[in-house]
Amino acid sequence: MKNSFARIAALTKRGLKEILRDPISLIFMLALPLVMEITFYLIFHEMTSQFDMKYLAPGIVVFSQAFLTLFTGLLIALDRSTSFLTRLYVTGTKSYHFIFGYTFSVLPICFVQAVLFFAVGAVIDPSIISVALIPAILLSVVTSLLFIGFGILFGSVCNEKSIGGVSSIIITGQSVLSAMWFPTEGMSGTIMTIMNVLPFKNATNLIQNMIIGVSDAFKDVVLPLIIVLAYTIAVFTAAILIFGKKMKDN
Amino acid sequence: MYAIKTVALTKKYKDLTAVNALDLTVKDGEFFSLLGVNGAGKTTTVKMLSTLTRPTSGDAFVYDRSIITEPDEVKKLIDISMQETAIARNLTAAENIAFYCELNGLKKDETQKMKEYLYDKFGLNAVADKKAAKLSGGWQRKLSIALALISEPKLLFLDEPTLGLDVIARRELWGLLRALKGKITVVLTTHYMEEAEALSDKIGVMCDGRLLFCGTKEQMYERTGKSDVENAFISIVETYKTKGGL
């Protein structure tokens, strides 16, 4: 057990360093969402309440997490193509060491994302400052697991060339189906049903509801949390099974 | 004592027999080279011996531990340096060493000692603070082999360790590999015949999943009437192909 903790800790530190030392990952995970947060607020917040900081900051937090899929997947795809995983597997590293290592290495980044985008949002619009920021940040760590799970899943099946394209499905999904960039009034019932059934809008609403206030605990918190967790568990289960199979196949 | 003993070790992929009833022994401390044309079964053999692939039938024993029933015990005795460099790209050479030390449960003072040992042995202090991805191919290979020694394996697999290196880098690496002789058992797969000639205590020649020859290079010359490993290898393989089998 002690050996397992040491292996997971080593893999976590290494994964975090690998991602943070790739300037492209920092641009997409931190700089781009930050620019979007400031720009969209300045351009649109007087036109529509949808871009008020209480909606925009939580939306940006979850949107930025979609890039975790890309960079977690890229790390795994590169580790596979360079036989890095195979080599470690020979020396007794198990699939679950890798899964924990990859997951834990990305969690600090999502924490920084949440703190940064809420902090900048609070500077621009101090009205969002409240104790509700604490559960919002903590829950955003939970929603990030969904995107990390997608990253592990895609990284297990894609190579480093195809991972960008496949991950863009999730980034686009989070962008379009989260309903954060456009009003949903007047949209067809079918589209709304799809958005309500998929995890993207639920993840965004969950964090937004923390900031704007909870009127119905089940509708505003429990239901979206259950939907996001259900997808997270399903995605992680698939990721663990496929990753383990790929390790054996390699 | 045998470092490796295989008993009718076989691997089949649907209709293809990649390794066919391989019977092979490698003694403790021996430097063994496995030669063969592409698709001969070398890599599959190494994958089975390193517990990455399960045999279809037969068994192999690494220091008397079965690769089938005791794979975790086998893993404690071996390490591998792959054809691909398999290093952490955005970590420096020093951080790569520290990472592998941590992975192997070494304490801080042990990690420091290991670093000093590997710096001294491989000259890695010259590139210690450079990111692995920025190192030349030769340095990457040196680092890769150095990392494989951190677990202090009794048996080290080197899969094409000098592939793609220039002649100077290759000769440098030979020097490092030669220094391992007698200290640990090494199984080397290579396409470079002069590499096998320069380093090996014993050579195995594979073709179509079969072991056509296993012995010293002198025995290889004697059997074929040739005076170098390359021509002896060609003679063994061509004779096998001409006969249409063993």
Side-chain angles (χ1 to χ4, degrees), chain B residues 29-246:
Chain B
E30 233 167 28
F31 199 115
F32 180 77
S33 292
L34 201 51
L35 306 181
V37 292
N38 290 332
K42 307 184 299 287
T43 300
T44 307
T45 302
V46 167
K47 279 188 169 180
M48 285 192 284
L49 293 173
S50 57
T51 73
L52 283 170
T53 301
R54 198 178 165 84
T56 310
S57 62
D59 201 349
F61 300 89
V62 173
Y63 290 95
D64 295 332
R65 307 284 191 183
S66 164
I67 60 166
I68 296 172
T69 58
E70 301 167 283
D72 288 339
E73 292 303 312
V74 171
K75 283 176 182 174
K76 289 176 189 166
L77 301 169
I78 65 171
D79 213 313
I80 191 165
S81 179
M82 320 285 289
Q83 207 175 95
E84 304 83 0
T85 45
I87 49 184
R89 301 165 300 281
N90 284 324
L91 268 58
T92 64
E95 286 172 335
N96 263 283
I97 294 171
F99 165 63
Y100 273 80
C101 286
E102 197 176 346
L103 213 56
N104 282 285
L106 270 65
K107 293 176 185 143
K108 273 190 179 175
D109 56 329
E110 292 169 328
T111 298
Q112 191 53 39
K113 276 183 193 164
M114 181 58 77
K115 269 188 186 173
E116 284 164 15
Y117 168 75
L118 294 175
Y119 285 178
D120 178 51
K121 197 99 181 159
F122 291 82
L124 284 166
N125 48 337
V127 294
D129 296 324
K130 273 195 174 177
K131 270 191 195 175
K134 304 274 181 197
L135 298 176
S136 67
W139 279 114
Q140 288 189 353
R141 297 287 170 151
K142 280 185 194 174
L143 177 60
S144 179
I145 294 169
L147 296 177
L149 297 177
I150 288 172
S151 64
E152 298 182 341
K154 291 182 82 171
L155 170 59
L156 177 62
F157 294 100
L158 299 172
D159 189 16
E160 309 269 2
T162 61
L163 188 72
L165 296 187
D166 63 52
V167 66
I168 302 293
R170 193 184 307 160
R171 288 297 167 106
E172 268 183 32
L173 212 54
W174 286 8
L176 297 171
L177 298 180
R178 208 175 268 122
L180 299 175
K181 285 182 76 165
K183 291 172 186 156
I184 57 173
T185 309
V186 178
V187 173
L188 168 85
T189 67
T190 183
H191 280 295
Y192 299 115
M193 300 299 150
E194 72 276 22
E195 193 163 285
E197 191 165 348
L199 298 169
S200 314
D201 297 316
K202 209 161 111 182
I203 294 170
V205 176
M206 287 187 78
C207 190
D208 294 340
R210 293 172 184 274
L211 187 67
L212 305 184
F213 170 85
C214 188
T216 63
K217 56 190 170 195
E218 289 77 17
Q219 288 169 331
M220 209 174 169
Y221 304 153
E222 197 179 320
R223 174 166 154 179
T224 59
K226 308 291 180 186
S227 57
D228 60 84
V229 168
E230 182 164 333
N231 282 308
F233 169 79
I234 292 168
S235 172
I236 290 168
V237 173
E238 282 185 344
T239 304
Y240 167 79
K241 296 266 185 194
T242 309
K243 282 185 183 172
L246 284 171

Side-chain angles (χ1 to χ4, degrees), chain A residues 17 31 103 218 232 244 249:
Chain A
K17 281 182 188 170
T103 305
F218 180 78
T232 303
D249 291 349

